[in-house]
Amino acid sequence: SCGCEMKRIGEDVAEKLDYQPGVFTVERHIRGKWACAKCEKLVQAPVAPHVIDKGIPTSGLLAQVLVGKFADHLPLYRQEAIFSRAGHAIARSTLAQWVGTCGVQLHPLVDAKKSELLHHRVLHADETPVAMLDPGAGKTHRAYLWTYCSTALQPTKLVVFDFAESRASRHPAEFLGHPGEHAWRGTLVCDDYSGYKALFASGVTEAGCLAHARRKFHELWANHKSAVGEQALALFGKLYEVEREVADVAADERLRIRQAKAKPAAVALHSWLAAQRQKVPPGSATAKAMDYSLTRWGALTRYLEDGDLPVDNNSVENQIRPIAIGRNNWLFAGSLRAGKRAAAIMSMVHSARLNGHDPHLYLKDVLERLPTQPASRIGELLPHRWQPIS
């Protein structure tokens, strides 16, 4: 306004985050043909091997469908709608075929992972219900997804899901090779489900879950403000204080500290439980909570004698939690075979996450390399060993 020329004295910069929905691109694979007019010979480069022979999806698109369904809980009909908005209508039946084929192709990796898992001396086990369609009746019935994983105290992070049509005890027995000459006979950390009892009778050592025992008293306190429940929580808390202290130490040192600090706390808890049990009527919620701990005391406190044992079964429950969320979106497994294929994919997706990998990057790379990977080197593609090709 005064007529003078203005001089720049600085600037303000604002950054905004933008997002572009999924973008499809088309890869063109051109294979030249070469011919000799004299000898009438024709030569052409072979088709590159692919997980889906002669299929149109790249490994990146397949990985997106698998991660969307089994990590992000997007059923195929929702993915169909998302892809349609991005400009490409892919029928959910086609997506289902891709998922099924990938489940079959990933089975050798799951078998290799299971073999390594069964070399561990200590394992977690748990199970969660999943609906499965009965094609003959047109209805669904309750099937189960069994979960087996290494402990948080072990450096190798492994989880394997096993889909079965029931909760019968034969399923964990078959997974662990029982009966058999080479059956697994380590220590199994699990809850009090009776389906595991046959394993313990055949040589497997039982380790209980202290969190299950504590949870029953927490329910008493949370729901009824029970003074007994509050006292029990304080006593359980002393055991967990020791576990926080020994979380990052070697097994020998962990055992030494447990013996010095946790064992006296466990003795005090047991004495308190036994004394209080005489004061409550049988059949009450308080009596049931106490009986759970008293009748399983040996299994619950087995960790005090072994530095490699975890205090509870929370590691495997954390692996099941995403499954419990996802099953509300999957609705049901179409068949036993489809359930087993889904379990194979989930084993790879959640193992990748457990080992700190981006599941999409991991699956994309594995699906690209799997068709040409020698069987003798299949272990290189397992999540705890995988290294992306730079």
Side-chain angles (χ1 to χ4, degrees), residues 226-241:
S226 165
V228 171
E230 186 176 13
Q231 294 173 40
L233 290 177
L235 293 170
F236 276 102
K238 293 181 180 179
L239 295 175
Y240 274 97
E241 284 178 8

Side-chain angles (χ1 to χ4, degrees), residues 7 42 56 61-62 156 170 193 235 238-239 367 371:
K7 295 182 179 180
L42 178 66
I56 63 168
L61 179 54
L62 292 174
T156 306
R170 70 176 185 274
Y193 173 51
L235 293 170
K238 293 181 180 179
L239 295 175
L367 292 174

Side-chain angles (χ1 to χ4, degrees), residues 212-235:
H212 272 77
R214 179 190 177 280
R215 196 173 299 154
K216 297 183 181 301
F217 290 101
H218 180 268
E219 291 171 356
L220 289 175
W221 178 81
N223 297 333
H224 308 290
K225 301 302 178 186
S226 165
V228 171
E230 186 176 13
Q231 294 173 40
L233 290 177
L235 293 170

Side-chain angles (χ1 to χ4, degrees), residues 119 205 213 239 334 349 379:
H119 280 88
T205 302
L239 295 175
V349 169

